[in-house]
Amino acid sequence: MSELKITRRGFLGWTVAGTAAGLSGLSGCGTVRNADREAAGAGATRRSARPPNIVFILADDLGWGDLSIYGRTDYATPNIDKLATQGVRLTQAYSNSSVCTPTRIAYLTGRYQQRLPIGLQEPLGNRKQLRERGQLDRLGLPPDHPTIASLLKAGGYETALVGKWHSGYLPTFSPLKSGFDHFFGIFSGAVDYFTHKDGSGEADLWEDETPVERTGYITDLITRRAIEFLGKASRSKDPFYLSLHYTAPHWPWEGPGDDAVSRRLKSLFHYDGGSIETYGEMVRSLDTGVGEVLATLDSLGLADDTLVVFTSDNGGERFSQIWPFVGSKGGVYEGSNRVPAIVRFPGRLPADRISHQVAATFDWTASLLAVAGVSPHHDYPLDGIDLLPYLAQAGSAAKPLERALFWRIHGQHAARIGDLKYIKLARPEQAQIPGGLAARGTEFLFDLSRDVREQANLKDQRPGDLQRLSAAWEAWNAEVLPEPAAAKP
């Protein structure tokens, strides 16, 4: 390990170096530890002054270019675009994984998802599948593992998850068992937008831990419940944390007016369904919902005291726009993991700025905890960093912090260090590069400062860099759980 100059201490230095600066720079005054909170296992601290409210909005399978402010031209997303003009828009934000469950685990824990067995599910199956495999009570986010919700709750926040959980099923796992005070939404990875049934045909809509029936388009139901939570939370003396996890625009591809189509479907797994026009309707519905939530913050007088983040859980699928990148959901190319990301924090972050800071999903965890003045659990150090000190410099001449990020999914491996990107594939056919480059091998080195389309393989021209990034990935891989055998050829 010494020859590679990457020890455990050095590896963690890549990922958490910015956290201390963020805690001192944006988290406010001194902190006071509460013995009851520490006894609860949170290890939380908080500021003496009232911390800000937090709204974290996560879209589902929304690709890099699926917002008009990121380049989509066949429809408009005026509400999310407006949010971007009121805050900072990131150009180099990544998801921790290119599928649903692992990214959510990374966000909830603030750590690489591969540190937990549930994070190795790519993605987690539906309830029926796990029941048939005898895994229903074994695969999920452990209730005793600290989460952003449990830490914020111990720090005095009222917490709610509205939308998609996809991190384990009852009776063992649920949002309420992982720090959320309230939950409304779905446990599985996808439901029909009208019947609210999962891929096996089982009903999957819940109020806390009780199944419920509701009539309506799931995007609208999620928006409505989020607004209800904000109304109630606005009357409390405590700050609130709302995790708003939309299911849109994940398949099945059904627009708000496709109720009749929904009734004809025999299965959610109809990859031949939908159209570009339907996809546009789904994203516009998402945009309308986000706009209504933001308008509610305004009408309640909460906007100036609320940090809002909008991003996606992974790259897009069939109807997404990913230009100029290649790749899609399930891979390790830029189009697989590069996602839109916007943050608004009035008075603390500049407005209408663009940041080229490299970021990943678990950085939002570190950032939100830091701004709330809440420390992570000492036994579960974060892998993400507090982004806010760097985003506060957006638009200035300040140089972004150089990062090292790592991915692993379905036998595909990737590392980004600085502007260099390393990819190793289990099989040549996994390559998502046009022009027949797949036939030239399974190992690639790209310079993203010159080649964001990942076309020019530099592995032969720069063997030293290839070895350096490969060794860094191997060092990281040794720190996390082994890759599932099923993911290997």
Side-chain angles (χ1 to χ4, degrees):
M1 186 70 73
S2 59
E3 294 180 356
L4 303 178
K5 297 183 179 180
I6 298 176
T7 63
R8 173 173 173 79
R9 182 183 301 273
F11 163 67
L12 290 175
W14 275 106
T15 58
V16 302
T19 303
L23 286 169
S24 61
L26 281 175
S27 295
C29 306
T31 59
V32 179
R33 182 172 299 277
N34 182 300
D36 292 334
R37 291 171 188 146
E38 187 173 10
T45 60
R46 59 173 291 181
R47 303 181 304 177
S48 56
R50 186 183 188 278
N53 304 310
I54 296 169
V55 176
F56 179 79
I57 307 173
L58 188 66
D60 197 353
D61 287 7
L62 186 76
W64 157 259
D66 285 340
L67 303 174
S68 46
I69 199 164
Y70 277 88
R72 193 86 190 204
T73 58
D74 55 328
Y75 58 78
T77 52
N79 296 298
I80 302 174
D81 291 2
K82 181 180 178 181
L83 179 68
T85 65
Q86 297 170 336
V88 179
R89 176 166 62 93
L90 284 76
T91 64
Q92 299 196 73
Y94 291 89
S95 58
N96 268 81
S97 175
S98 57
V99 296
C100 304
T101 300
T103 293
R104 292 163 197 277
I105 298 303
Y107 171 68
L108 289 166
T109 65
R111 293 155 60 83
Y112 275 107
Q113 63 273 16
Q114 292 91 350
R115 298 190 185 280
L116 286 169
I118 179 62
L120 305 182
Q121 301 301 304
E122 301 171 343
L124 184 67
N126 61 48
R127 187 184 298 103
K128 180 181 179 182
Q129 292 169 330
L130 294 183
R131 189 185 302 120
E132 291 173 346
R133 299 172 192 159
Q135 297 175 315
L136 190 65
D137 61 348
R138 293 192 290 112
L139 283 177
L141 179 57
D144 60 350
H145 194 293
T147 67
I148 184 171
S150 68
L151 293 168
L152 289 175
K153 180 177 180 177
Y157 275 74
E158 183 176 8
T159 61
L161 172 60
V162 178
K164 176 175 170 177
W165 165 245
H166 207 195
S167 300
Y169 296 94
L170 289 168
T172 308
F173 312 103
S174 85
L176 269 59
K177 291 176 171 57
S178 289
F180 289 100
D181 295 312
H182 314 283
F183 171 61
F184 174 82
I186 70 171
F187 274 85
S188 64
V191 296
D192 183 274
Y193 280 72
F194 297 94
T195 67
H196 317 138
K197 294 181 179 180
D198 66 18
S200 67
E202 294 187 11
D204 185 24
L205 188 61
W206 301 77
E207 180 81 52
D208 293 334
E209 295 184 350
T210 302
V212 295
E213 293 184 6
R214 297 289 185 270
T215 300
Y217 191 65
I218 189 66
T219 304
D220 297 337
L221 295 180
I222 290 171
T223 297
R224 188 183 311 156
R225 182 49 58 91
I227 290 172
E228 291 176 4
F229 170 77
L230 292 176
K232 294 176 181 177
S234 68
R235 298 189 289 272
S236 172
K237 68 180 186 305
D238 295 324
F240 62 81
Y241 160 57
L242 170 61
S243 229
L244 180 53
H245 298 187
Y246 282 100
T247 63
H250 194 292
W251 53 260
W253 292 293
E254 300 166 346
D258 288 339
D259 194 5
V261 175
S262 170
R263 290 193 297 270
R264 291 198 303 268
L265 296 176
K266 295 181 180 180
S267 169
L268 292 188
F269 295 92
H270 60 293
Y271 294 108
D272 57 338
S275 66
I276 290 179
E277 291 74 20
T278 298
Y279 188 79
E281 292 172 3
M282 297 172 73
V283 178
R284 286 198 300 269
S285 178
L286 167 67
D287 180 72
T288 297
V290 172
E292 292 175 357
V293 170
L294 297 177
T296 300
L297 292 175
D298 287 335
S299 66
L300 295 173
L302 298 171
D304 289 343
D305 300 318
T306 302
L307 169 63
V308 177
V309 175
F310 176 92
T311 189
S312 179
D313 65 345
N314 49 250
E317 248 193 301
R318 181 180 175 194
F319 300 111
S320 285
Q321 178 172 297
I322 59 169
W323 179 265
F325 309 121
V326 296
S328 60
K329 178 179 179 178
V332 291
Y333 289 89
E334 292 296 287
S336 307
N337 292 294
R338 189 91 71 111
V339 292
I342 297 164
V343 56
R344 184 185 77 180
F345 196 11
R348 306 289 287 277
L349 292 180
D352 202 15
R353 299 289 178 84
I354 294 175
S355 172
H356 302 300
Q357 175 62 52
V358 174
T361 308
F362 57 21
D363 294 333
W364 297 118
T365 317
S367 303
L368 299 182
L369 290 175
V371 81
V374 172
S375 301
H377 195 291
H378 51 79
D379 291 334
Y380 299 88
L382 303 180
D383 290 318
I385 66 167
D386 178 9
L387 293 170
L388 298 187
Y390 306 101
L391 300 184
Q393 303 170 12
S396 71
K399 186 178 180 180
L401 175 72
E402 186 171 283
R403 303 291 305 283
L405 295 174
F406 304 94
W407 294 270
R408 189 188 75 188
I409 183 170
H410 302 319
Q412 304 165 90
H413 307 158
R416 175 172 176 170
I417 299 180
D419 287 327
L420 293 181
K421 175 86 171 281
Y422 167 77
I423 292 177
K424 185 176 182 180
L425 307 175
R427 300 177 297 275
E429 60 266 26
Q430 289 178 315
Q432 299 185 33
I433 307 175
L437 286 182
R440 303 182 191 178
T442 58
E443 201 168 31
F444 305 89
L445 180 70
F446 304 110
D447 182 351
L448 297 179
S449 69
R450 304 175 60 187
D451 180 28
V452 295
R453 286 186 57 74
E454 296 170 291
Q455 300 291 293
N457 189 2
L458 305 176
K459 73 181 184 72
D460 294 330
Q461 295 96 313
R462 300 171 67 169
D465 285 327
L466 180 77
Q467 171 60 21
R468 178 169 63 91
L469 268 70
S470 173
W473 186 91
E474 293 291 348
W476 166 80
N477 191 52
E479 293 287 334
V480 297
L481 296 178
E483 192 168 13
K488 299 177 181 179

